[in-house]
Amino acid sequence: MTDTHAHLDFLEPEELAEARAHLQELQAVLTLGVDPSRWEKTLSLAQGNVYAAVGLHPTSAHLLSPEVAEALRHYARSERVRAIGETGLDYHWTPETKPAQLKALDFQAALAEELGLPLVLHVRSKDGKAEEDLAAWLLLHRPQRVVLHAFFGHPALEEAGLKVGAYFSFAGPLTYKKNAALREVAARLPGEKLLVETDTPFLPPEPHRGKRNLPHYVRHTLEKLAEVRGLTFAEAEALTDGNARVCFGWV
Protein backbone atom coordinates (compact mmCIF):
# COMPACT_ATOMS: atom_id res chain seq x y z
CA MET A 1 0.00 0.00 0.00
CA THR A 2 1.07 3.57 -0.63
CA ASP A 3 -0.22 6.69 1.10
CA THR A 4 0.44 9.43 -1.43
CA HIS A 5 -0.70 12.31 0.76
CA ALA A 6 -0.24 12.73 4.51
CA HIS A 7 0.65 15.52 6.92
CA LEU A 8 2.77 13.73 9.48
CA ASP A 9 3.85 17.07 10.94
CA PHE A 10 0.26 17.62 12.13
CA LEU A 11 0.30 14.49 14.29
CA GLU A 12 0.63 14.52 18.05
CA PRO A 13 3.67 12.60 19.40
CA GLU A 14 1.64 9.51 20.32
CA GLU A 15 -0.09 9.55 16.91
CA LEU A 16 3.25 9.82 15.14
CA ALA A 17 4.56 6.89 17.15
CA GLU A 18 1.58 4.80 16.08
CA ALA A 19 2.03 5.85 12.46
CA ARG A 20 5.69 4.85 12.56
CA ALA A 21 4.83 1.50 14.13
CA HIS A 22 2.76 0.67 11.03
CA LEU A 23 5.13 2.01 8.35
CA GLN A 24 6.27 -1.52 7.49
CA GLU A 25 2.76 -2.14 6.12
CA LEU A 26 3.30 0.55 3.48
CA GLN A 27 5.46 0.76 0.40
CA ALA A 28 5.80 4.52 0.80
CA VAL A 29 4.25 7.61 2.37
CA LEU A 30 4.42 11.14 0.99
CA THR A 31 4.25 13.74 3.76
CA LEU A 32 3.55 17.33 2.73
CA GLY A 33 4.78 20.53 4.34
CA VAL A 34 2.33 23.26 3.41
CA ASP A 35 3.83 26.50 4.71
CA PRO A 36 7.31 27.85 5.53
CA SER A 37 6.99 27.05 9.24
CA ARG A 38 6.53 23.36 8.41
CA TRP A 39 9.13 22.65 5.72
CA GLU A 40 12.00 21.88 8.08
CA LYS A 41 9.98 19.46 10.19
CA THR A 42 8.49 17.80 7.11
CA LEU A 43 11.96 17.08 5.75
CA SER A 44 13.09 15.74 9.13
CA LEU A 45 10.24 13.20 8.97
CA ALA A 46 11.18 12.03 5.47
CA GLN A 47 13.22 8.96 6.33
CA GLY A 48 13.10 5.34 5.22
CA ASN A 49 9.97 4.82 3.16
CA VAL A 50 8.66 8.31 3.99
CA TYR A 51 9.25 10.97 1.34
CA ALA A 52 8.44 14.69 1.36
CA ALA A 53 6.69 17.35 -0.67
CA VAL A 54 7.04 21.05 0.05
CA GLY A 55 4.80 23.88 -1.02
CA LEU A 56 2.46 26.70 -0.13
CA HIS A 57 -1.10 25.60 0.55
CA PRO A 58 -3.58 28.03 -1.05
CA THR A 59 -4.64 29.21 2.40
CA SER A 60 -0.98 30.20 2.97
CA ALA A 61 -0.51 31.70 -0.49
CA HIS A 62 -0.44 35.23 0.93
CA LEU A 63 2.91 34.37 2.54
CA LEU A 64 4.67 34.21 -0.82
CA SER A 65 7.51 36.72 -1.05
CA PRO A 66 10.90 36.71 -2.77
CA GLU A 67 12.43 35.33 0.43
CA VAL A 68 9.81 32.59 0.81
CA ALA A 69 10.12 31.70 -2.86
CA GLU A 70 13.87 31.29 -2.51
CA ALA A 71 13.45 29.20 0.63
CA LEU A 72 10.94 26.93 -1.12
CA ARG A 73 13.31 26.54 -4.05
CA HIS A 74 16.05 25.56 -1.58
CA TYR A 75 13.97 22.95 0.25
CA ALA A 76 12.55 21.60 -3.01
CA ARG A 77 16.05 20.56 -4.08
CA SER A 78 16.40 18.26 -1.04
CA GLU A 79 17.10 14.62 -1.83
CA ARG A 80 13.94 13.36 -0.10
CA VAL A 81 11.56 15.73 -1.89
CA ARG A 82 9.43 14.00 -4.50
CA ALA A 83 6.78 16.64 -5.27
CA ILE A 84 5.84 20.30 -5.06
CA GLY A 85 2.69 21.18 -3.17
CA GLU A 86 0.16 21.08 -2.12
CA THR A 87 -0.87 24.19 -3.99
CA GLY A 88 -4.09 25.05 -5.79
CA LEU A 89 -7.24 27.05 -5.10
CA ASP A 90 -9.31 27.25 -1.92
CA TYR A 91 -12.37 29.51 -1.95
CA HIS A 92 -13.90 27.74 1.06
CA TRP A 93 -11.55 29.19 3.68
CA THR A 94 -9.83 32.12 1.95
CA PRO A 95 -11.77 33.29 -1.13
CA GLU A 96 -10.47 36.82 -0.64
CA THR A 97 -6.90 35.72 -1.49
CA LYS A 98 -7.70 34.36 -4.97
CA PRO A 99 -5.12 36.60 -6.72
CA ALA A 100 -2.43 35.50 -4.25
CA GLN A 101 -3.47 31.86 -4.66
CA LEU A 102 -3.11 32.05 -8.44
CA LYS A 103 0.28 33.73 -8.14
CA ALA A 104 1.51 31.04 -5.72
CA LEU A 105 0.07 28.31 -7.93
CA ASP A 106 1.85 29.67 -11.00
CA PHE A 107 5.15 29.92 -9.13
CA GLN A 108 4.94 26.38 -7.76
CA ALA A 109 3.92 24.98 -11.13
CA ALA A 110 6.98 26.61 -12.71
CA LEU A 111 9.20 25.26 -9.93
CA ALA A 112 7.83 21.74 -10.39
CA GLU A 113 8.54 21.92 -14.12
CA GLU A 114 12.05 23.28 -13.48
CA LEU A 115 12.90 20.46 -11.08
CA GLY A 116 11.07 17.69 -12.95
CA LEU A 117 8.75 17.01 -10.00
CA PRO A 118 5.01 16.33 -9.91
CA LEU A 119 2.67 19.11 -8.79
CA VAL A 120 0.12 18.24 -6.09
CA LEU A 121 -3.12 20.22 -6.31
CA HIS A 122 -5.71 21.04 -3.64
CA VAL A 123 -9.09 22.51 -4.46
CA ARG A 124 -12.08 23.41 -2.32
CA SER A 125 -15.10 25.70 -2.58
CA LYS A 126 -18.73 25.81 -1.51
CA ASP A 127 -20.14 26.34 -4.99
CA GLY A 128 -17.72 24.55 -7.31
CA LYS A 129 -16.17 27.79 -8.56
CA ALA A 130 -12.65 26.90 -7.39
CA GLU A 131 -12.94 23.55 -9.16
CA GLU A 132 -14.02 25.27 -12.37
CA ASP A 133 -11.17 27.78 -12.11
CA LEU A 134 -8.63 25.04 -11.45
CA ALA A 135 -9.93 23.04 -14.41
CA ALA A 136 -9.44 26.08 -16.63
CA TRP A 137 -5.96 26.61 -15.18
CA LEU A 138 -5.03 23.00 -15.95
CA LEU A 139 -6.15 23.27 -19.56
CA LEU A 140 -4.20 26.50 -19.97
CA HIS A 141 -0.94 25.44 -18.30
CA ARG A 142 -0.93 21.65 -18.86
CA PRO A 143 1.66 20.63 -16.25
CA GLN A 144 3.77 17.60 -17.13
CA ARG A 145 2.89 15.60 -13.99
CA VAL A 146 0.05 16.62 -11.74
CA VAL A 147 -1.92 14.99 -8.93
CA LEU A 148 -5.50 15.96 -8.07
CA HIS A 149 -5.32 15.32 -4.34
CA ALA A 150 -8.40 14.05 -2.45
CA PHE A 151 -10.40 14.07 -5.68
CA PHE A 152 -14.09 14.65 -5.04
CA GLY A 153 -15.39 14.04 -8.55
CA HIS A 154 -16.16 17.51 -9.90
CA PRO A 155 -17.11 16.99 -13.60
CA ALA A 156 -15.12 19.91 -15.03
CA LEU A 157 -12.04 18.92 -13.05
CA GLU A 158 -12.41 15.29 -14.08
CA GLU A 159 -12.61 16.31 -17.74
CA ALA A 160 -9.62 18.66 -17.49
CA GLY A 161 -7.63 16.11 -15.52
CA LEU A 162 -8.19 13.47 -18.17
CA LYS A 163 -7.11 15.87 -20.92
CA VAL A 164 -3.82 16.70 -19.22
CA GLY A 165 -3.07 13.18 -18.00
CA ALA A 166 -3.48 13.96 -14.30
CA TYR A 167 -3.35 11.41 -11.52
CA PHE A 168 -6.56 11.16 -9.48
CA SER A 169 -5.95 10.47 -5.78
CA PHE A 170 -8.79 9.16 -3.63
CA ALA A 171 -9.03 9.60 0.12
CA GLY A 172 -11.40 8.49 2.89
CA PRO A 173 -14.55 10.02 1.36
CA LEU A 174 -14.51 7.22 -1.24
CA THR A 175 -15.69 4.96 1.58
CA TYR A 176 -18.56 7.17 2.81
CA LYS A 177 -22.04 5.77 2.19
CA LYS A 178 -23.41 8.96 0.61
CA ASN A 179 -20.63 9.13 -1.99
CA ALA A 180 -21.96 6.67 -4.58
CA ALA A 181 -21.32 9.21 -7.36
CA LEU A 182 -17.66 9.47 -6.32
CA ARG A 183 -17.34 5.69 -6.46
CA GLU A 184 -18.77 5.76 -9.99
CA VAL A 185 -16.01 8.21 -10.95
CA ALA A 186 -13.34 5.96 -9.37
CA ALA A 187 -14.73 3.01 -11.33
CA ARG A 188 -14.42 4.68 -14.73
CA LEU A 189 -11.13 6.59 -14.55
CA PRO A 190 -8.05 5.11 -16.27
CA GLY A 191 -6.44 2.52 -14.02
CA GLU A 192 -2.94 3.84 -14.66
CA LYS A 193 -3.93 7.22 -13.19
CA LEU A 194 -5.32 6.07 -9.84
CA LEU A 195 -3.75 6.79 -6.44
CA VAL A 196 -4.92 6.43 -2.85
CA GLU A 197 -4.13 8.61 0.15
CA THR A 198 -5.21 9.43 3.68
CA ASP A 199 -4.64 13.20 4.01
CA THR A 200 -3.58 12.31 7.57
CA PRO A 201 -4.82 13.47 10.05
CA PHE A 202 -7.86 14.59 8.03
CA LEU A 203 -10.53 12.77 5.96
CA PRO A 204 -10.51 9.45 7.83
CA PRO A 205 -12.15 6.53 6.01
CA GLU A 206 -14.85 4.29 7.37
CA PRO A 207 -14.67 2.71 9.96
CA HIS A 208 -12.53 5.48 11.51
CA ARG A 209 -14.76 8.38 10.53
CA GLY A 210 -14.93 11.01 13.25
CA LYS A 211 -11.43 10.15 14.46
CA ARG A 212 -7.97 11.35 13.47
CA ASN A 213 -6.56 9.70 10.36
CA LEU A 214 -3.28 7.75 10.07
CA PRO A 215 -1.34 6.53 7.02
CA HIS A 216 -2.07 2.81 7.47
CA TYR A 217 -5.80 3.57 7.35
CA VAL A 218 -5.29 3.92 3.59
CA ARG A 219 -6.12 0.20 3.52
CA HIS A 220 -9.83 0.99 3.84
CA THR A 221 -9.82 3.37 0.88
CA LEU A 222 -7.85 0.86 -1.17
CA GLU A 223 -10.34 -1.88 -0.28
CA LYS A 224 -13.19 0.30 -1.53
CA LEU A 225 -11.31 1.17 -4.72
CA ALA A 226 -10.73 -2.53 -5.38
CA GLU A 227 -14.42 -3.23 -4.82
CA VAL A 228 -15.70 -0.56 -7.21
CA ARG A 229 -13.26 -1.60 -9.95
CA GLY A 230 -13.88 -5.33 -9.58
CA LEU A 231 -10.31 -6.07 -8.49
CA THR A 232 -8.85 -8.14 -5.72
CA PHE A 233 -7.14 -6.19 -2.98
CA ALA A 234 -3.76 -7.44 -4.19
CA GLU A 235 -4.50 -6.26 -7.73
CA ALA A 236 -5.58 -2.80 -6.56
CA GLU A 237 -2.55 -2.59 -4.30
CA ALA A 238 -0.15 -3.49 -7.13
CA LEU A 239 -1.88 -1.01 -9.44
CA THR A 240 -1.77 1.98 -7.09
CA ASP A 241 1.71 1.17 -5.74
CA GLY A 242 3.01 1.06 -9.32
CA ASN A 243 1.27 4.29 -10.26
CA ALA A 244 2.77 6.03 -7.23
CA ARG A 245 6.27 4.84 -8.14
CA VAL A 246 5.89 6.20 -11.65
CA CYS A 247 4.45 9.50 -10.45
CA PHE A 248 6.80 10.24 -7.55
CA GLY A 249 9.94 8.38 -8.61
CA TRP A 250 10.72 6.40 -5.49
CA VAL A 251 12.03 2.82 -5.56
Side-chain angles (χ1 to χ4, degrees), residues 133-154:
D133 286 353
L134 190 61
W137 183 93
L138 278 173
L139 293 174
L140 179 63
H141 294 275
R142 295 182 174 270
Q144 290 297 307
R145 266 186 300 161
V146 63
V147 178
L148 296 173
H149 137 68
F151 187 63
F152 273 85
H154 190 279

Side-chain angles (χ1 to χ4, degrees), residues 66-83:
E67 294 76 19
V68 167
E70 187 55 37
L72 180 54
R73 187 182 300 277
H74 167 74
Y75 285 114
R77 292 195 180 103
S78 299
E79 180 186 0
R80 302 295 295 180
V81 168
R82 291 293 186 273

Side-chain angles (χ1 to χ4, degrees), residues 35-238:
D35 69 53
S37 69
R38 296 183 175 275
W39 295 337
E40 195 74 42
K41 184 174 182 180
T42 294
L43 285 173
S44 74
L45 293 168
Q47 302 175 29
N49 63 343
V50 178
Y51 298 87
V54 288
L56 271 179
H57 192 280
T59 57
S60 298
H62 63 284
L63 298 175
L64 184 63
S65 66
E67 294 76 19
V68 167
E70 187 55 37
L72 180 54
R73 187 182 300 277
H74 167 74
Y75 285 114
R77 292 195 180 103
S78 299
E79 180 186 0
R80 302 295 295 180
V81 168
R82 291 293 186 273
I84 299 298
E86 64 195 270
T87 180
L89 299 174
D90 193 312
Y91 303 167
H92 178 83
W93 295 113
T94 52
E96 71 281 359
T97 66
K98 177 181 175 179
Q101 292 183 40
L102 286 167
K103 182 178 180 181
L105 171 57
D106 287 345
F107 168 71
Q108 290 172 87
L111 182 60
E113 295 293 314
E114 175 188 333
L115 300 178
L117 294 173
L119 184 69
V120 179
L121 295 180
H122 163 104
V123 65
R124 189 176 182 188
S125 65
K126 298 174 182 178
D127 57 4
K129 181 59 177 171
E131 288 80 358
E132 292 172 3
D133 286 353
L134 190 61
W137 183 93
L138 278 173
L139 293 174
L140 179 63
H141 294 275
R142 295 182 174 270
Q144 290 297 307
R145 266 186 300 161
V146 63
V147 178
L148 296 173
H149 137 68
F151 187 63
F152 273 85
H154 190 279
L157 202 51
E158 178 186 351
E159 181 180 357
L162 288 170
K163 287 182 178 178
V164 304
Y167 288 87
F168 296 84
S169 186
F170 291 92
L174 188 71
T175 70
Y176 300 170
K177 292 180 181 179
K178 68 176 183 178
N179 283 344
L182 182 60
R183 289 186 283 276
E184 291 175 7
V185 173
R188 67 173 178 254
L189 288 170
E192 69 274 13
K193 293 299 182 179
L194 297 174
L195 301 170
V196 286
E197 63 169 270
T198 60
D199 200 22
T200 289
F202 314 109
L203 300 181
E206 298 288 358
H208 300 285
R209 197 169 181 186
K211 302 175 184 177
R212 299 261 289 179
N213 208 356
L214 291 170
H216 59 285
Y217 293 173
V218 75
R219 171 177 295 275
H220 304 291
T221 302
L222 187 55
E223 286 173 346
K224 185 58 66 174
L225 182 66
E227 176 188 318
V228 302
R229 293 190 67 90
L231 301 174
T232 66
F233 180 84
E235 289 170 337
E237 183 178 36

